[in-house]
Every structure is written in structure tokens, then in C-alpha cells.
Amino acid sequence: MTLAPAIAAFADGLRADLAPAVFRELEPRYTEEPRGRFAGQGGLLLAPGSTEEVASIVRAAASAGLPIVPYGGGTGLVGGQVSDDLRDPVILSLERMTRIRSIDATENALVAEAGVILQNVHEAAEAANRLFPLTIAAQGSARIGGVLSTNAGGVNVLRYGNARDLCLGLEAVLPDGSVLQGLSPLRKNNTGYDLRHLLIGAEGTLGIITAATLKLLPRPAHEGAAMLTVRDPQAALDLLNLARDRIGEGISAFELISKTGLDFLEETVPEVRRPLSAEGNPEWSVLIDLGLGAAGDPQAALEGLFAAAHDAGLVSDGVIAQSEGQRQDFWQLRENLPEANRRIGAVSSHDISVPLAAIPRFIAEAPGALAKIGTFRINCFGHVGDGNLHYNVFPMPGRSRADHAAQRDAIKRCVHDLVHTHGGSVSAEHGVGRLKVEDMERYVDPVKLAAMRAIKDALDPKGIMNPGAVLRRR
Amino acid sequence: MTLAPAIAAFADGLRADLAPAVFRELEPRYTEEPRGRFAGQGGLLLAPGSTEEVASIVRAAASAGLPIVPYGGGTGLVGGQVSDDLRDPVILSLERMTRIRSIDATENALVAEAGVILQNVHEAAEAANRLFPLTIAAQGSARIGGVLSTNAGGVNVLRYGNARDLCLGLEAVLPDGSVLQGLSPLRKNNTGYDLRHLLIGAEGTLGIITAATLKLLPRPAHEGAAMLTVRDPQAALDLLNLARDRIGEGISAFELISKTGLDFLEETVPEVRRPLSAEGNPEWSVLIDLGLGAAGDPQAALEGLFAAAHDAGLVSDGVIAQSEGQRQDFWQLRENLPEANRRIGAVSSHDISVPLAAIPRFIAEAPGALAKIGTFRINCFGHVGDGNLHYNVFPMPGRSRADHAAQRDAIKRCVHDLVHTHGGSVSAEHGVGRLKVEDMERYVDPVKLAAMRAIKDALDPKGIMNPGAVLRRR
């Protein structure tokens, strides 16, 4: 494919300054994204090997007024990494910046370049007897730059926070090509505005993260898990409160699983083991995971919790993992839910959050609202301890997602309106990307949007950084 | 005192719209600050009772182009709350906005107006069987708006983070008088740039925080403390590492105390009990505080730590609190160190941080560097687990701080240069205010400063919000 003349000239200009390895063949994966909603129209793929090379590219692009789309692991679910309406942008991949620059167990900090894969951060931390707790389905391919740019969440946010809470400092190339030197591991540093938190979650629209100082934590000495059958989502919440009162900070994850999810698993991924021996499939289950200190005994804690919850009428059945292998089985089940969903084929998927107290009402009200649009199966699961639900709408057996294509917008609107009514968010952990720009305009405080626009224009006056993501192009 | 004509006309205009209670007598305390470095020249004191009233004032001030200095509890140590070079600014005190709007133990969140005193947040959280862990010396008078605007730190940052880490959402009046509605308690909400973290730590230069949603945590079931004698700061660090390996997240505070500090206490606050029975005063001590879950036993954990640290040659003596009363005695001692310093009278005080690994070298090198300026006593103490030291320089006995007035700038420069050499921060937890604007310009990354200036100009184009704080007036 031939590049547009302006970008071809730009590429020629860069060849004099940058190593040949920077220039790569544009493979299809760079213009595709997991959900297939956005398809890029081509572009100049550059894979710089250093912060200086990133800065050179951004300076040149700023000077030529050419748009840049940053690219990490390509796992984003909202089209932040693929522009469908730019002819030949600069696609700037961080894949060659994969160095862990340092790790310090005393400082409890690790400096990773933007292209380091999340799983590799986990492994480096473990080798230093520390924990980097951010755990997401895509951790085998997601890269740290993208993880931070989208402020990724996952299953351990309840205990450890989102990506932003696990980042101590950033190095980034700003839209004019200047390099922000902010890799300090300091826990206390009150010298001016916190640009780190502005870049985290900005999805590449305010600059390109090139490296980050990540926070490491103590590894829990003892871990344990249980799957418990609860009456309904309110009982799940009451169980969470009971668990918090009894176990406090030791709760690492608290996940809600629906009967539909278990049915989908049985249908599409039958090799996954089912821990609950109960009669039939329970309507609602909870997976609770504990990580305790040296004196802690997760199994005893879970047994005590189960007994108390049973007495309180909150749980009717349950299994406490008797080994690390069994605990891993529980997590296998949980982690295969998205795969089962993929195989069934959702009409519409929603990454939403509501205040905890609103969860039962939201789950009770949504099916009725959707029934006005059509007849669907619903798989609602997710990080209930954070109020973060993945609320996914599927066709009835024998029908396909294509049959409902015309209803997709109405479904999305219905779910998002209800979320908004309950004070929730229409993008809990996946970000805005290009998929939810319109939702932002509909649901987000206009004062916030105006301030965001002012900041974007101030830092990126030419609008070259990931145009069309988060904020509408103009 | 007569107001300047523009501000007098402004006040007259507001009287039609706002309740009489908003207009208050300007008492001297509003133009003074604890260290006596800055003295205000007067001003129009307004104490709005609601967010709407704050917005009305800011809109009117923006329209008239009049500067606003926000005022919380008045406890800031860097002159952020007092302008010494503005004739008659609007002094906007949040003292009447003292409502805790809601508290929710399920959500683990509390919504407090900006004028709520920190201690009152502690008490409200405790009444709901939850913890709001931010603990600072001024908590009996510091107000939440100021606590967040300065991103206050304190003794529990090691475990729970700074003020910014304990804030889930903000309501704020921006410089054009618009109201940012961001009080959501959601743990996961990735809809756009994080303006919350931009306003936190901005010291009122980007808007006025009017309310905040604060994060609550489980109360530790069992607490304990020990005071241990360590050979030197390196041994203190090694002890911290050992404690982390053994006790993990259960360490709530880890404070370094010097012999000079204990001497100052004995001299000026003799009623404070000394826990260490050791012969003479130890050169360096550590106060370690634990908070463990239901199954935890802090006393056993501390005994085990002491034995292991003793075997490793890290501690030579120590006392483990045998009761909550004894634990409080240890904290009384720690919390009286600043008062003892005040009574002795420092020539120069420094709120600095360095990476943990650099602490021993910094503490070893600083006295030699200062000796080139003069002969001093040094009291170095603080939150060593965060790398945050209060490095305070005192006259020798028989001399006074006034004797060294001419050396103060050189002392400050000497300490700050050394901090900078070690990759540290010249404002760890107190902020920049007006005291450290020049230090910011000297030590902070110019790319960061340029981005801060661009953001300030974009959000506050007339420069009315706390002019002269954080960034130089222009």
C-alpha cells in the first residue's frame, strides 16, 4: 500500500536520524482490534527503541502536523489503539522498549519501559519476593504503556487499586516532543501538579508514556479462595460486608458469577472444572480470594466466614479450596467466563460500574428494561467488590448476534441510561477509546468535558496525539 | 482598614446575592501563617455556606478579574493560604462548609465538605467502624479542603498513601465559576482525564475544592507498637526490610527518631515519658506501629521481629508496648518532637524526601556540608518508611536562631542541593505554597513546569486562583 505523500515525505526525513530497526512493515494486527469495531486505513508503523527515538518522532510529527496513534499490546477493547478515520497516521508501537530498567526491593519499586508485557512485570516482582498485583485477562500481551494509558483495572482493584494507584512515576514524551522526566520512586513529593495522573488514563491523547516506576507490594504469605453460593446480589453484598468486618484488608478479590455464566462455560468450555457440588446450577455464586500475612490462616478465615454467612442466611452452599491447585481451578473457571462469552457471541457487552449499594437494584431492573427491546440472555458477572460489572447481552439459543444487529444501539443506550440513573459509569475499566466518545458526551459532566478540552488544547494545540480517542476530533 | 475601591465595589455587588453570614470580619489569623514568613496585607473575607455561594463568588471575581486566596484551617506551612503581595484579595474561607454529607460503610466512602476538620472525619469513620487513616500533627484544625489541596502526608503514608490516595472524588468550583460534579464513590471509572488528581495538590491554583468523597478502610483488629534502638539509619532501613518480609502490609508507620530529638524533648517537654530504659540516650531509635487483622497478634509479631533483628545485629535494645496506653505513650513522644523543635527554635526546617536507599548517605553527608556554613545542632526525624525526613537545623546551646538569620538561605540551599543530588524532593508533604516557588524553579524538571504553566493558563486564563502560589505570578 502506498503512503499518502505527506507521510511518505515524513518517513523519508526520519530515515536519516533513526536506526533502520525503527521502520517496520505494517502488519494487519496494527490496524485491527479485538472486538472488530474499528479498522485502520493504513499508516506508517514506527517502533522506536528508546525514549530519545520516541521524542524524535513526536517532534518531527508535531512540526509536520501529522497525527500519531500510540500502540501497546493491541489488547484494548474500546478502539483506542486503532483510528478508523485517519488516512495514514504514524502508528507508534512501543513493542521494542521492553527493558525493565531497575528493580529495588527496598524501595519497593520497579522501572519498566512502556513495551514491557504485564506478565513480565509480575515475574520480575516475584523474583524479588514482591508483588505487582494488577491482574487482567490480557496480561500475557498487554504492555505497561497501554495498561497505564487506559488505567487498567482487573480482579484485584478491591484491594490494590487500579493501574494509576500502582504507578509512582512516569517518563513520557509530550505532544511537542519534550520529555517529561518523572520516574522518581518517591512516595512523598509535593512539588507541583500531578502530571502522572493526568497522563494515566488519557489514552495517549496528551503524550506517550515511555517508562513507568511501578509500586511493588509485599507478597501475601498465605492465600486461599472459596466459591460460595449466594441467594442474590444483595446477599453477595452482605457477604462482602461480613467478610470485610471479619477479614479486613485480607480480601484480594470478590467476584460475582451468574448461572448464565456457568451454563455458557459448560456449553462452550466443558473442560473447565466446576467446583460446586450443589444440586443444579446456583443462580449466583461468589469467588472470594484472600491473601494474608505470616500469622494468617486463609482456610480458617474462610471456614469462619462460611459458618457466619450460613448462619446469617447469606450463603447456602460453598467450597473452600483445599489446595493451591483447587484455588487455581476456581480462578480458571472465573477467567474462562470471557472466553465462553466470546464463543456464545454477545449482541452487546458493557463495562460498567455502579455504587455498591445500587448493584442489586441495577441487576434487578436491567432485564425488565431490556425486555422492552427484545428477548435476550444476560450474563452479568464481574468485580462486584468494586461495583464493576460486565453486563453482557446475548441472543437466545438458536439465534445469532447478527439477528440483533439493529437492536445493538438501543441495548447499549438502555443499559447505559440505567447505569447513569444509578450514579454509575459507562466505562469502568476499559477506557473510552473511540468506542465511547459519544457516551462521554452524553453522560459525563459538561464541566469536566470542558476542562478536559482546555487541557488537551493547551498541551496538544495541534491535536496530533491519538486524535479521535477520548475527545472528538476537531 | 479600608478596602481598595475595586474590591469594595465587588463586595457591594455580592451583598445583594449572598446571605449576610458570608461576610465576615477579617481577623488577624487570616493574614498570618504558622511560621510567620508571610503576612497578608488585608482583603475581603468571605465565608460561603454552600457550593453555590462559592460558585457565585468565583464567577463574580472572574468577571471582575479579582484574585482569590482560598483558606482552610490555616495550618499550612508554606504560605499557600496567605498572600503577602496582593493588596486586598478575596480571602475565601471554607470554615462554614462543615457538613459530612453522607457516610456509607458498604461503599467504604464518606462525603465531607471542604471545611470539615480532619479529626471530625476520623471520628465519623470510627463511628461507622471504619478507618480514615490520614494522620497529621494539625488534624485538630486542618480542614479537608486544605488537606487535599496540599496533598497532605503524615505518619501512615507508608501503609495507606497520601491524601490523594484516600480521595475517591471531588466537587470543586473551577476558575470560571463552573462547578465540577465529581463526588462519585466509584472505584472504577475510566471516563476521561482524572481532574481529581490535578486539583489535589494544586493548592487552590486551579479551583476551589468544595467537597470530597473520601475512602474508608477496615479498622485493624489489633494494634501494637515498639520503640527499638538501632545502630544507625542503615540499620533502620534494614530493620524496615526485615519487618516487611515478616509482617508485610501490617506495618502502619515506621518513624525515625534521633538522639537530638530526645534531648530536645527532655529539655523542653520533660513531662513526655521516655520508653527506652537503655543506658543513656540512643543515637537513633525507630518507632514501628502495626495494625493487624482478626487473626493477627502484634505483640507476638513485634517480639519475633525484635529477636530476629537483634540476631542480625540491627537493634541493640527495645521496648514493645504492653498496652494501648503504652502505645499511646510512644506516639506522644513522637508527636511532641515538632513542639520541642518549636521551643528550641530552628534556624531552618526542611520537609524533604529521598529514595529509601539514599537515606543513610544523605544523613551521613549533610552535617559535613552544613559545617562549612557554621556550627549547628541537627534534628533529623520523620517518616523514614516513606523516605520523608524532617531535617531541621538549630543553633548551638546559648545561641539563638536570630544569630543565624543571615545564614538561613545558605543552609536551605545546602540541604536542598544535597537532596536534589540524591534524587529527592525539596517538598515532600507540605507543598510549595509561596515559600518554595523559587525551589520549584531551581529543582523541578522544566518540562513539568512548562506543562503546569500551560494547564494553569488554560484553566485559569485570568490568573485569579491563589496567584503567586505554586507558580510565580505574572
Side-chain angles (χ1 to χ4, degrees), chain A residues 310-448:
Chain A
H310 196 271
D311 288 352
L314 299 176
V315 308
S316 57
D317 194 2
V319 187
I320 295 167
Q322 299 299 310
S323 65
E324 178 58 21
Q326 233 185 337
R327 175 170 169 260
Q328 293 303 331
D329 284 348
F330 294 179
W331 277 107
Q332 273 289 314
L333 181 150
R334 167 62 185 84
E335 284 165 2
N336 271 289
L337 292 177
E339 177 59 20
N341 286 344
R342 206 187 55 75
R343 294 189 187 179
I344 298 284
V347 180
S348 188
S349 304
H350 310 93
D351 164 43
I352 54 118
S353 62
V354 292
L356 293 186
I359 291 174
R361 271 175 295 143
F362 174 81
I363 292 178
E365 292 168 11
L370 287 167
K372 293 180 189 152
I373 300 171
T375 310
F376 306 103
R377 288 181 293 175
I378 290 162
N379 186 10
C380 170
F381 68 107
H383 323 297
V384 71
D386 311 313
N388 176 198
L389 301 173
H390 296 301
Y391 199 87
N392 296 355
V393 179
F394 296 86
M396 296 300 284
R399 306 205 61 181
S400 82
R401 55 192 300 191
D403 297 339
H404 296 287
Q407 295 168 314
R408 185 187 276 172
D409 284 350
I411 294 170
K412 188 184 80 170
R413 181 72 182 270
C414 169
V415 172
H416 284 181
D417 279 356
L418 191 61
V419 165
H420 189 65
T421 305
H422 284 294
S425 168
V426 299
S427 177
E429 60 175 3
H430 296 166
V432 177
R434 290 173 172 81
L435 184 65
K436 294 188 177 174
V437 170
E438 209 180 299
D439 291 305
M440 284 266 289
E441 291 170 351
R442 190 188 309 278
Y443 299 111
V444 169
D445 178 10
V447 171
K448 176 175 174 176

Side-chain angles (χ1 to χ4, degrees), chain A residues 104-108 129-130 150-155 157 159-160 162 164-165 174 178-181 184-198 201-203 205-206 217-218 237 241 244-246 248-249 294-296 353-357 383 385-386 388 423-432 440 444-445 447-448 451-452 454-456 458-459 470-471, chain B residues 104-108 129-130 150-155 157 159-160 162 164-165 174 178-181 184-198 201-203 205-206 217-218 237 241 244-246 248-249 291 294-296 353-357 383 386 388 423-432 440 444-445 447-448 451-452 454-456 458-459 470-471:
Chain A
D104 185 334
T106 298
E107 206 67 42
N108 271 319
N129 192 31
R130 292 291 182 271
T150 58
N151 186 30
V155 298
V157 171
R159 179 168 190 166
Y160 296 108
N162 297 286
R164 72 167 69 257
D165 302 304
L174 300 188
S178 60
V179 180
L180 183 73
Q181 306 282 1
S184 158
L186 298 175
R187 306 291 162 144
K188 288 185 173 176
N189 181 9
N190 277 347
T191 49
Y193 304 162
D194 197 318
L195 302 184
R196 164 187 52 147
H197 281 299
L198 193 59
E203 305 186 34
T205 62
L206 298 176
L217 289 125
L237 267 193
N241 268 337
R244 276 179 164 152
D245 286 344
R246 297 177 64 94
E249 290 167 294
S353 62
V354 292
L356 293 186
H383 323 297
D386 311 313
N388 176 198
S425 168
V426 299
S427 177
E429 60 175 3
H430 296 166
V432 177
M440 284 266 289
V444 169
D445 178 10
V447 171
K448 176 175 174 176
M452 285 171 57
I455 292 166
K456 168 75 173 171
L459 296 181
V470 186
L471 290 166
Chain B
D104 185 332
T106 298
E107 207 68 42
N108 271 319
N129 192 31
R130 292 291 181 273
T150 58
N151 186 30
V155 297
V157 171
R159 179 169 190 164
Y160 297 108
N162 296 286
R164 74 167 66 257
D165 302 303
L174 299 187
S178 61
V179 180
L180 182 74
Q181 305 283 2
S184 158
L186 298 175
R187 305 290 161 144
K188 287 185 173 175
N189 181 9
N190 276 348
T191 48
Y193 304 161
D194 198 318
L195 302 184
R196 164 188 53 149
H197 280 299
L198 193 59
E203 306 187 32
T205 62
L206 298 177
L217 291 125
L237 266 193
N241 269 336
R244 276 181 164 151
D245 286 343
R246 297 178 63 94
E249 291 167 293
S353 62
V354 292
L356 293 185
H383 323 297
D386 312 312
N388 177 200
S425 168
V426 300
S427 177
E429 59 175 4
H430 296 165
V432 177
M440 284 267 287
V444 169
D445 178 11
V447 171
K448 175 175 174 176
M452 285 172 56
I455 293 166
K456 168 76 173 172
L459 296 180
V470 185
L471 290 166

Side-chain angles (χ1 to χ4, degrees), chain B residues 236-474:
Chain B
L237 266 193
D238 293 343
L239 175 64
L240 173 63
N241 269 336
L242 185 66
R244 276 181 164 151
D245 286 343
R246 297 178 63 94
I247 308 171
E249 291 167 293
I251 306 163
S252 301
F254 194 90
E255 300 280 306
L256 186 69
I257 298 169
S258 74
K259 178 177 186 301
T260 308
L262 296 177
D263 289 345
F264 283 5
L265 263 184
E266 189 149 288
E267 187 180 332
T268 62
V269 200
E271 63 273 24
V272 169
R273 254 181 284 177
R274 300 280 295 276
L276 286 184
S277 54
E279 72 294 345
N281 275 348
E283 203 64 46
W284 295 102
S285 323
V286 159
L287 169 54
I288 178 170
D289 199 75
L290 302 190
L292 304 181
D297 180 345
Q299 209 158 321
L302 289 166
E303 281 162 15
L305 175 65
F306 179 77
H310 196 269
D311 287 353
L314 299 176
V315 308
S316 57
D317 194 3
V319 186
I320 296 168
Q322 299 299 310
S323 66
E324 179 57 22
Q326 232 185 339
R327 176 170 169 260
Q328 292 303 332
D329 283 350
F330 294 179
W331 277 108
Q332 273 289 314
L333 181 151
R334 166 61 185 84
E335 284 165 2
N336 271 289
L337 290 177
E339 176 59 21
N341 286 343
R342 208 187 54 75
R343 294 188 188 180
I344 297 283
V347 179
S348 188
S349 304
H350 310 94
D351 163 42
I352 55 119
S353 62
V354 292
L356 293 185
I359 291 174
R361 272 175 295 143
F362 174 82
I363 292 178
E365 291 168 12
L370 287 167
K372 293 179 189 152
I373 300 171
T375 310
F376 305 103
R377 288 180 294 175
I378 290 163
N379 185 12
C380 170
F381 68 107
H383 323 297
V384 71
D386 312 312
N388 177 200
L389 302 173
H390 296 300
Y391 200 86
N392 297 354
V393 179
F394 295 85
M396 296 299 284
R399 306 206 62 181
S400 81
R401 55 192 299 190
D403 297 340
H404 296 286
Q407 295 168 313
R408 184 187 275 173
D409 284 350
I411 294 170
K412 188 185 80 169
R413 182 71 181 269
C414 168
V415 172
H416 285 181
D417 279 356
L418 191 60
V419 165
H420 188 65
T421 304
H422 285 293
S425 168
V426 300
S427 177
E429 59 175 4
H430 296 165
V432 177
R434 290 172 173 81
L435 185 65
K436 293 187 177 173
V437 170
E438 209 179 299
D439 293 304
M440 284 267 287
E441 292 170 351
R442 190 188 311 277
Y443 299 111
V444 169
D445 178 11
V447 171
K448 175 175 174 176
L449 285 177
M452 285 172 56
R453 173 65 73 184
I455 293 166
K456 168 76 173 172
D457 289 348
L459 296 180
D460 183 17
K462 294 185 177 175
I464 63 165
M465 291 304 313
N466 211 5
V470 185
L471 290 166
R472 197 174 286 277
R473 254 177 93 187
R474 63 175 191 189

Side-chain angles (χ1 to χ4, degrees), chain A residues 10 14 69 129 134 136 338 389 445 455:
Chain A
F10 171 78
L14 284 178
V69 178
N129 192 31
L134 191 80
I136 59 176
L389 301 173
D445 178 10
I455 292 166

